[in-house]
Structures are given as C-alpha cells and as structure tokens.
Amino acid sequence: MDLAEFDHHAGIPGTTIFDGRQAMKGYALNKMCYSFNSKENRDEYLRDPEVYFDKFRLNEQQKQACRDKNVLALIEAGGNIYYLAKFAGIYRMSVQDVGAQQTGMTTEEFKQKLLDAGR
Amino acid sequence: MARILGGITTSHIPAVGNAIANELFDDPYWKPFFDASPPIHGWLADAKPDVVINIYNDHGLGFFLDKMPTFAIGAAHEYRNEDEGWGIPQLPPFPGDAELSWHIIEGMVADEFDITSCQELAVDHGFTVPMQLFWPKLGEDPNFPRAIPISANTVQHPIPTLHRALHFGKSLRKAILSWPRDIQVVVLGTGGLSHQLDGQRAGFINTEFDKYCMEKIVSDPDELTRISRMELVEKAGAQGTEFLMWMMMRGALGERVNLLTKNYHVPISNTGAGTMLLECTE
Ligand SMILES: [Fe+2]
C-alpha cells in the first residue's frame, strides 16, 4: 500500500479530516486543551494565558488563534474539535456558539438552522 | 451461561445530561426526545440485566492523542466521570465487573481482536449520559447493573471501518456467551446520529441517512458495512462517525433481532437523535 492512498483531505466541503497529518500539526495545541479537563489547569490558564501557551509550546499560529478564540483558525492550526470544545468551555461558548462562529451566523440563526433540519 | 437480552442505542449529547439534571422531561424542546425512554425503562425493569456493556467513544477525557487505542475495554472495579472541562457534575462511581472484562479481553484477543485493556478509565458523557437516561436513579436503583465500558476511536483518523465494527460486536458476543456464570447482559451502542461540530459545514444534519441507518441496523447491518469511512463522514457529518458504536452493538446481538421501540428526533443540540431498543431472538 502506498501512503498516498490514505490521503483523506480530498473533497468534503467545509470539513477537515483530523488524521495523522493534523495530529502532528496540532499536538501541542490539543495537549493544552486536554489539560483543561482539570479545573486547576483551567484556573492556571486564566491567570496568564500567554505563560500557559509557552508551557505547552504552542507556535505563534496556535497562540494567535487562541487569543482570537477563532475556531476555524484553531482547526487550521491543527486543533481537534473534541479537545477544542474544552477550550471553548472555558469561555462558556456552547456548541451552538461554536457552530455559529464557524458559519458566520448569529447563535440564534444557527439554532434556527438546526431546528429547520428537523422540519 | 451468560445471555444477551438485547441492545439499546441512543445519542449521548452532553446537553442531555444537563436536561436530566434540570428535569426538562416535559419541556417542549426536550419532550420528543425523552418520550423514547419510558418503554425502555419498562423493558429494563422486567429484564433486570446484571451487566451492561456500554459501547461509546471517548471525547478526550479517558484518552489523549499521545496513545489512542482503536478499541479499548475497561477492566476496572469501578469507573468515574470527571467534569470534562465544562463542569459536568460529578456522579457516583459506576460499579464494574472486572472479572467479566478480563474474560471478554481474553476471548476477543484469542479471537484475534487486538484490545487495549484499561484498569483505570475516566468515563465521559458518551458513557454517563446513556446510563442516566436508562437508569435515572443510577446506583440508588436496586437493579442498577454493573457496567463495562468499551470505547472505539472516532477522535482521530484512521478510525475503524464499519465492517470491523460489526465484526467486533460479533466477537464480543462470542466472548460474552462463553462466560460460564448465569448472568443477563444488555449492550448499549451510544453516539450519533448525524452531526458535525467543526468547520464551515458545522450544523450539518442528514435525516434521510439517519433513517436509512436506523432501518438497516435492524434488518441488514451487513449492507451498512459497504459504507466507506469517508462516505460516512460525508453523509453523517464529521462526528456522525460515532455510528460505529451502533454497529459494534448490533454485532453483539446475533443475526436476527426484534425491534421493540424506535424514536428519531431532530435536533437535540446539533444532532439527529436516534433511540432504539432491539431484543435478541437467540
Ligand atoms: Fe459523541
């Protein structure tokens, strides 16, 4: 088998497949987000995010995406949504807030879109 | 001899845990979802399973990307949840059945399934929400079963194929049925159905595909094994790959099952929510 056969990045619009390539790219960022499972770590992060970024060796792209709380940029920087959800949780962003931000809607519009899917 | 009585599928959205905590059972948003539970409560009250095999996918609590098992089986005497980063309430520990866990691990590895065994495993909402949903009193229910968590990787590709997931269930069935003690077992398949949390396609829900999956999982799960993993991402959404847990459960139920109840509701949070109760015929 050729590795190229396993290129999952072809063509589902608006979707980044989180595979080995993304996992390598986002390891530090995801590791930081994983640490947020513990309240102690969340509190430490909130005391000084910049120090916490360096503790986990985030690169500049990852730091900036965190500062901006920009979910698409966090994914671009290698973030995995299951771990990013814990980052979003620190800022009390719901999954609807996260969805709204990524699709350029208000949270109310995004919730309506979900309701419409059930009609 | 151990018997498998049936299987239950459900979505396991964290918001359901909050809705249970706030008793929103009759709230207009939640009622169509919670209406699926009473027939299952009734069936469980009669069936009184001794053990529940809870097949779920960890969402970044029990496992990190440093070591990501494709299939992991809990082998602990008890399992605890944690707050997962957004303050989910701490629940009392869930009693396990470590001896049966090891029997399953032995049986499945002998059957050439390569299992990661976990003597410690923090269980997240994928495990706890279905337990709260089907045994609302948890440990205070005198019939609360011992639990064995099984988690499959859907966090990071490559994820297992649908074919492998179904076969996992079949191997799990053989291992359970070879347990010499007289116990009754139910199997949960939790997660899904269609949803996508990430990317510009966030909010994607595919009711037609969900309904197709709910039909075929009963009558012809083999047909579902023809769906490729990328096709599953495309049709069910990036996190709709959790449907793998349903396939694993289905494999454990034997060839023919009776569908006892079925409920489908959109949306719960960002998700198409499917609940089913399948009774084994063998
Ligand atoms: Fe999930």
Side-chain angles (χ1 to χ4, degrees):
Chain A
M1 286 185 194
D2 187 329
L3 253 186
E5 278 177 51
F6 299 114
D7 185 356
H8 303 300
H9 291 263
I12 302 171
T15 306
T16 301
I17 299 294
F18 189 89
D19 64 357
R21 197 196 300 176
Q22 293 301 105
M24 287 190 282
K25 193 177 180 183
Y27 192 76
L29 172 61
N30 290 316
K31 189 168 178 178
M32 180 185 80
C33 293
Y34 179 67
S35 79
F36 296 148
N37 277 316
S38 132
K39 183 171 185 321
E40 228 169 72
N41 291 337
R42 298 197 292 274
D43 292 344
E44 183 185 334
Y45 165 81
L46 284 169
R47 277 195 295 277
D48 192 339
E50 295 295 328
V51 170
Y52 207 78
F53 295 154
D54 285 333
K55 181 172 169 182
F56 283 86
R57 299 168 192 246
L58 268 57
N59 64 30
E60 188 49 37
Q61 182 194 6
Q62 292 166 339
K63 289 181 188 176
Q64 195 54 47
C66 290
R67 289 179 199 123
D68 297 340
K69 303 176 191 59
N70 181 326
V71 179
L72 290 175
L74 286 161
I75 292 168
E76 177 61 37
N80 175 298
I81 194 67
Y82 288 123
Y83 301 103
L84 294 179
K86 299 170 197 298
F87 174 81
I90 291 183
Y91 296 102
R92 305 247 172 271
M93 289 167 77
S94 72
V95 282
Q96 284 80 37
D97 296 328
V98 168
Q101 191 202 76
Q102 295 177 97
T103 52
M105 296 181 190
T106 66
T107 299
E108 284 317 307
E109 285 165 349
F110 187 77
K111 284 184 176 169
Q112 190 58 48
K113 170 187 152 87
L114 295 167
L115 287 171
D116 291 345
R119 299 251 153 82
Chain B
M1 295 290 281
R3 276 188 62 207
I4 300 175
L5 303 174
I8 308 170
T9 72
T10 177
S11 306
H12 58 211
I13 305 141
V16 171
N18 295 330
I20 291 172
N22 297 314
E23 300 187 359
L24 301 179
F25 309 113
D26 292 316
D27 177 274
Y29 181 89
W30 288 101
K31 191 174 181 336
F33 173 75
F34 283 120
D35 278 352
S37 298
I40 296 174
H41 294 159
W43 184 83
L44 285 169
D46 288 340
K48 296 189 184 58
D50 303 288
V51 172
V52 53
I53 309 284
N54 186 326
I55 303 176
Y56 75 109
N57 56 289
D58 179 75
H59 304 73
L61 176 71
F63 303 111
F64 179 57
L65 304 173
D66 58 341
K67 304 169 196 75
M68 181 56 67
T70 296
F71 293 114
I73 300 186
H77 295 287
E78 64 173 32
Y79 304 92
R80 290 170 188 272
N81 78 327
E82 283 173 29
D83 80 17
E84 298 185 45
W86 50 78
I88 287 179
Q90 190 85 45
L91 298 170
F94 294 86
D97 188 334
E99 272 189 78
L100 177 56
S101 290
W102 281 110
H103 175 82
I104 291 170
I105 292 162
E106 287 282 358
M108 291 188 71
V109 174
D111 198 32
E112 301 185 341
F113 263 90
D114 307 312
I115 303 296
T116 299
S117 58
C118 307
Q119 289 206 70
E120 283 188 53
L121 180 59
V123 288
D124 73 8
H125 63 271
F127 173 97
T128 59
V129 163
M131 298 300 282
Q132 291 175 284
L133 206 47
F134 300 130
W135 291 275
K137 294 183 195 150
L138 297 176
E140 286 165 33
D141 182 341
N143 297 318
F144 191 52
R146 304 184 293 280
I148 297 179
I150 296 183
S151 176
N153 161 40
T154 54
V155 166
Q156 148 180 290
H157 289 267
I159 61 173
T161 65
L162 282 91
H163 181 257
R164 190 64 171 160
L166 186 67
H167 278 263
F168 180 100
K170 290 180 180 178
S171 178
L172 171 64
R173 177 177 178 81
K174 279 193 273 180
I176 294 169
L177 295 186
S178 68
W179 180 239
R181 291 182 210 161
D182 284 326
I183 58 163
Q184 323 261 18
V185 177
V186 290
V187 185
L188 305 189
T190 91
L193 288 164
S194 61
H195 66 301
Q196 178 155 340
L197 304 176
D198 51 341
Q200 294 86 345
R201 203 168 74 127
F204 173 82
I205 291 177
N206 187 345
T207 54
E208 207 177 304
F209 183 70
D210 289 345
K211 286 175 182 170
Y212 167 77
C213 290
M214 288 179 79
E215 186 195 320
K216 291 297 170 188
I217 194 104
V218 182
S219 58
D220 191 4
D222 285 311
E223 185 175 311
L224 296 169
T225 64
R226 291 208 286 265
I227 300 169
S228 76
R229 289 166 292 174
M230 283 306 115
E231 197 182 343
L232 187 61
V233 172
E234 189 182 359
K235 292 189 170 159
Q239 283 73 44
T241 53
E242 295 179 346
F243 182 65
L244 286 173
M245 313 310 134
W246 291 42
M247 292 295 277
M248 291 160 70
M249 174 218 68
R250 181 61 184 85
L253 303 185
E255 288 300 314
R256 280 198 50 253
V257 292
N258 291 327
L259 172 65
L260 298 188
T261 69
K262 177 173 174 174
N263 180 290
Y264 179 67
H265 178 68
V266 174
I268 289 299
S269 193
N270 290 23
T271 305
T275 313
M276 301 177 86
L277 170 58
L278 305 174
E279 190 170 56
C280 295
T281 61
E282 293 148 44

